[in-house]
Amino acid sequence: MFVSKKFSRSQIFALSLISVLFVTACSPQKPESSNTTASTQQASSSNNDTLRLLYWQAPTILNPHLTQGTKDYHASRITYEPFASYNKDGKLIPFLAAEIPTLENGGLTKDGKSVTWKLKQGVKWSDGKVFTAADVVFTYKFLSNPAVGATTTAYYETIKSIEAIDDHTVKITFKDVNPAWSLPFVGQNGLILPQHIFEKYNGSNAREAPGNLRPVGTGPYRVVEFKPGDIVIFEPNSFFREPTESLFKRVELKGGGDVTSAARAALQTGDVDFAWNLQVEAPILKQLERVGKGKLVSSFGGLAERIFLNQTDPNKQTADGDRSSLQFPHPFFTDKKVRQAFSYAIDRDTIAKRLYGSTGRPIANTLVAPDIYNSPNTKYEFDLKQAAALLDEEGWKDTNGNGIRDKNGVEMNVLFQTGVNPIRQKTQEIIKQALTSIGVKVELKNIDPSIYFSADPSNPDTTARFYADMQMYTNGNENPDPGAYMKTWTCDDIPQKKNNWSRYNVSRYCNPEYDKLWQQSTKELNSEKRRQLFIQMNDLLIKDAIVIPLIGRANVSAASNRLAGVDLTPWDTDTWNIKDWRRNNN
């Protein structure tokens, strides 16, 4: 197994920060005097005025339409806003919208072909410019421009046109009837950009925009400093439409380090107020929480840890040097029975019980939430004999006695990659042991998360490039309507050089039958018929074993007892309601 022992600058900085804080806390204190008392009070006040967030995956860009990394969405969401977002109960909560469209208020049309959003008045960008419907129209033009290479296009592809009726009214007309009218401009994929900041960068130069690093938003805080891969510093947006007196005077989102140290900083040492995405073994989390300085906050939604099987050959290069190209099919993962054999060889129950505890449960589906879409037609099974039998049946046998199956001169060697994380490395080891026992050679590769989840098209180690045979990470639908999420297995959503690897169908799966089902779902207004279409799509993916679901994961973070107002939803970032976060004085 390959595990890099080098630390990035951001990791070293985060670890040094925690060490300094620890040493300071343990240093001998001088006897109190009036001066030291004043100094202590000032430090305490400063500490109360600063909100400290620790993200063990560091943000690298603050344009939500040019990223594939969850940590970038979380940082961007502190300053950018959508029309509305879903809370944990699945209710739409307005942000920039004055009201939620309904048939009764005229926002929705009976034919299902358009939606009209009324916007709040008096909203300004953090540089004082007035926010209008023209910014919404521009955002759509920006993300739908192929030259931009936006990563959020799946949420907008049903749109025919967007019109600014007036400065505070936007009409969205769809190409056909559209039951998923609440996908565009809602949640973390619906954040609206300022036209005056990005209009000169609406093309192939989009990634050169200064606004990608110093965003101008309508949210409660504005960015005053950003060091990609390290730290983002925010201060209150003086032009925010709501009173800012109760906001923190400073927000520090620190990136880097490792996930266990992040959990410890929030739950044990109290060095930070909030630690994100704690994919840490359950016994360790429980032990840290028992210290009593913080608490775990979690929510189950559509997130699932899963394995993607590459349908293209990661070892063959095109004339221009690209790998995992559609020009070269994978030497054995294009065989459905081989893929099914790999699925049989994975012990989901052991992974769930040993590593996740109450924060995860073994799953058979790729679409797991809301529960109405969780297919009853599938099951998972751990059966090494069945796995070996399927490989034998397809002619993959050890013909040269070296312990590795082969066929027509090709040995069954796989490179299995994921991000650096203790649970993921232990999951890899469990899977490797099982696959090795049935004659598959497995090499493990672990990639720094800031690289692995980057949307940088020049980075060869991203999930979208997928220069491996198998890869593992968590994703899922980020909206109660799974339409955009299920599109990520359509033929048009395959990441490749011509789209800057900005799409999400990383397995390079292309099945006209699946595409037909998805197209039908985009026009079906009958909710029950549409539900069945999504279940059929899920069942096809599971039957084809294109993706191997492992664990339905809770979104687990930690909040210090000093912090109040954190209210996670599975349908947006953890920072979605950061304007309501306050210092807990109890």
Side-chain angles (χ1 to χ4, degrees):
M1 177 179 67
F2 169 75
V3 181
S4 174
K5 295 185 179 179
K6 295 181 180 179
F7 291 90
S8 67
R9 292 180 182 175
S10 59
Q11 289 173 315
I12 293 171
F13 188 96
L15 292 170
S16 299
L17 172 65
I18 292 171
S19 298
V20 169
L21 289 167
F22 178 79
V23 170
T24 302
C26 296
S27 298
Q29 299 299 308
K30 295 180 180 180
E32 281 193 9
S33 68
S34 58
N35 289 337
T36 57
T37 300
S39 175
T40 301
Q41 289 173 344
Q42 183 178 3
S44 177
S45 174
S46 174
N47 187 58
N48 283 333
D49 290 340
T50 299
L51 174 65
R52 292 180 171 84
L53 316 177
L54 184 54
Y55 277 55
W56 56 279
Q57 295 178 19
T60 55
I61 189 173
L62 297 180
N63 185 330
H65 298 290
L66 295 180
T67 183
Q68 290 180 325
T70 303
K71 32 78 175 178
D72 301 320
Y73 284 109
H74 282 237
S76 300
R77 188 69 172 85
I78 295 175
T79 190
Y80 285 126
E81 296 179 295
F83 284 167
S85 195
Y86 284 95
N87 67 8
K88 61 187 176 185
D89 299 318
K91 179 183 178 182
L92 272 175
I93 306 298
F95 280 79
L96 291 174
E99 60 184 13
I100 302 301
T102 64
L103 289 171
E104 291 73 22
N105 64 25
L108 298 180
T109 56
K110 291 183 178 180
D111 64 5
K113 291 185 177 182
S114 68
V115 59
T116 300
W117 289 86
K118 293 187 180 297
L119 308 179
K120 290 178 179 176
Q121 301 189 24
V123 176
K124 292 184 178 181
W125 296 100
S126 58
D127 62 359
K129 301 287 186 181
V130 177
F131 163 75
T132 71
D135 293 300
V136 179
V137 175
F138 170 78
T139 299
Y140 172 70
K141 290 180 179 178
F142 177 87
L143 63 88
S144 60
N145 182 350
V148 168
T151 57
T152 53
T153 55
Y155 290 79
Y156 300 87
E157 290 182 349
T158 57
I159 294 176
K160 178 181 180 181
S161 64
I162 293 185
E163 178 185 2
I165 304 299
D166 55 44
D167 282 350
H168 303 102
T169 309
V170 176
K171 182 179 181 181
I172 302 175
T173 302
F174 300 107
K175 297 172 184 176
D176 209 324
V177 295
N178 184 16
W181 60 269
S182 65
L183 283 178
F185 301 109
V186 170
Q188 68 178 41
N189 295 288
L191 306 185
I192 297 166
L193 303 177
Q195 179 176 357
H196 65 283
I197 297 296
F198 287 96
E199 60 187 341
K200 293 182 180 179
Y201 299 91
N202 185 19
S204 58
N205 63 344
R207 293 185 177 272
E208 302 169 13
N212 295 335
L213 302 180
R214 189 60 67 89
V216 173
T218 58
Y221 294 96
R222 67 184 185 95
V223 175
V224 295
E225 183 180 351
F226 176 37
K227 297 178 181 178
D230 185 2
I231 194 169
V232 194
I233 297 176
F234 304 83
E235 291 179 356
N237 172 11
S238 59
F239 294 101
F240 189 52
R241 59 190 175 274
E242 298 180 17
T244 59
E245 290 81 2
S246 58
L247 296 177
F248 290 93
K249 292 183 179 179
R250 180 181 172 95
V251 177
E252 297 176 358
L253 192 158
K254 180 65 183 167
D258 65 89
V259 63
T260 306
S261 296
R264 186 173 293 114
L267 296 172
Q268 185 180 62
T269 67
D271 292 332
V272 300
D273 298 296
F274 183 85
W276 163 80
N277 188 25
L278 301 183
Q279 193 176 9
V280 177
E281 291 177 70
I284 295 176
L285 285 180
K286 288 182 179 180
Q287 180 181 0
L288 292 174
E289 191 175 30
R290 280 197 293 267
V291 174
K293 290 190 176 182
K295 59 184 178 298
L296 296 173
V297 287
S298 63
S299 64
F300 272 101
L303 295 181
E305 186 84 351
R306 64 196 76 207
I307 291 174
F308 300 85
L309 303 180
N310 201 340
Q311 299 304 287
T312 59
D313 193 333
N315 300 311
K316 289 187 178 180
Q317 291 190 6
T318 61
D320 58 1
D322 187 25
R323 292 154 52 194
S324 289
S325 166
L326 297 176
Q327 293 183 31
F328 303 113
H330 195 277
F332 46 83
F333 278 149
T334 50
D335 185 331
K336 182 168 72 172
K337 288 188 178 180
V338 170
R339 299 194 300 268
Q340 290 172 337
F342 273 64
S343 182
Y344 275 117
I346 295 175
D347 188 354
R348 297 161 177 83
D349 288 327
T350 293
I351 294 169
K353 183 177 180 180
R354 185 183 300 176
L355 303 180
Y356 285 88
S358 62
T359 67
R361 49 203 178 207
I363 54 173
N365 294 317
T366 190
L367 177 57
V368 297
D371 192 58
I372 59 170
Y373 300 116
N374 199 356
S375 173
N377 308 321
T378 60
K379 65 178 182 178
Y380 64 86
E381 186 176 355
F382 175 53
D383 189 337
L384 290 177
K385 289 184 178 180
Q386 179 65 14
L390 284 171
L391 294 179
D392 288 342
E393 183 181 333
E394 294 305 288
W396 289 93
K397 301 179 180 181
D398 180 14
T399 62
N400 57 13
N402 67 350
I404 304 170
R405 292 176 181 268
D406 59 87
K407 180 180 178 181
N408 299 329
V410 177
E411 294 208 324
M412 190 165 270
N413 300 330
V414 296
L415 176 61
F416 180 16
Q417 71 180 21
T418 191
V420 174
N421 174 283
I423 284 186
R424 287 190 170 132
Q425 270 68 83
K426 291 182 179 181
T427 302
Q428 279 183 308
E429 289 290 355
I430 292 171
I431 293 170
K432 177 181 179 178
Q433 183 178 2
L435 289 174
T436 301
S437 73
I438 59 170
V440 180
K441 182 179 179 180
V442 182
E443 177 186 356
L444 302 182
K445 180 178 180 181
N446 303 320
I447 306 169
D448 186 302
S450 64
I451 297 172
Y452 190 46
F453 297 110
S454 168
D456 181 359
S458 66
N459 180 355
D461 281 326
T462 63
T463 59
R465 285 291 192 96
F466 198 179
Y467 288 173
D469 304 283
M470 302 165 58
Q471 68 177 351
M472 178 175 65
Y473 60 87
T474 290
N475 71 350
N477 49 310
E478 297 155 346
N479 189 293
D481 186 298
Y485 167 64
M486 297 305 283
K487 186 184 184 302
T488 60
W489 279 279
T490 60
C491 300
D492 288 342
D493 220 51
I494 293 174
Q496 49 196 308
K497 188 171 185 178
K498 68 180 182 182
N499 58 35
N500 272 333
W501 296 278
S502 62
R503 300 295 186 261
Y504 289 92
N505 185 357
V506 297
S507 294
R508 279 72 168 163
Y509 173 66
C510 186
N511 184 339
E513 181 184 354
Y514 183 94
D515 283 20
K516 183 179 179 181
L517 290 170
W518 185 81
Q519 287 293 343
Q520 289 175 336
S521 75
T522 65
K523 303 174 184 179
E524 181 56 69
L525 292 180
N526 182 288
S527 59
E528 177 56 26
K529 290 181 179 179
R530 190 163 181 263
R531 182 178 79 91
Q532 290 300 327
L533 287 170
F534 286 131
I535 288 176
Q536 288 179 59
M537 281 183 261
N538 173 87
D539 293 353
L540 188 56
L541 291 171
I542 302 306
K543 181 187 72 174
D544 281 354
I546 290 297
V547 59
I548 302 176
L550 300 176
I551 305 294
R553 278 186 55 200
N555 175 26
V556 181
S557 295
S560 164
N561 291 338
R562 302 187 307 268
L563 187 61
V566 177
D567 186 21
L568 301 190
T569 173
W571 313 119
D572 204 335
T573 69
D574 288 0
T575 55
W576 79 295
N577 74 324
I578 198 168
K579 71 181 181 66
D580 300 321
W581 292 15
R582 300 288 184 268
R583 185 63 68 205
N584 188 348
N585 296 319
N586 295 332

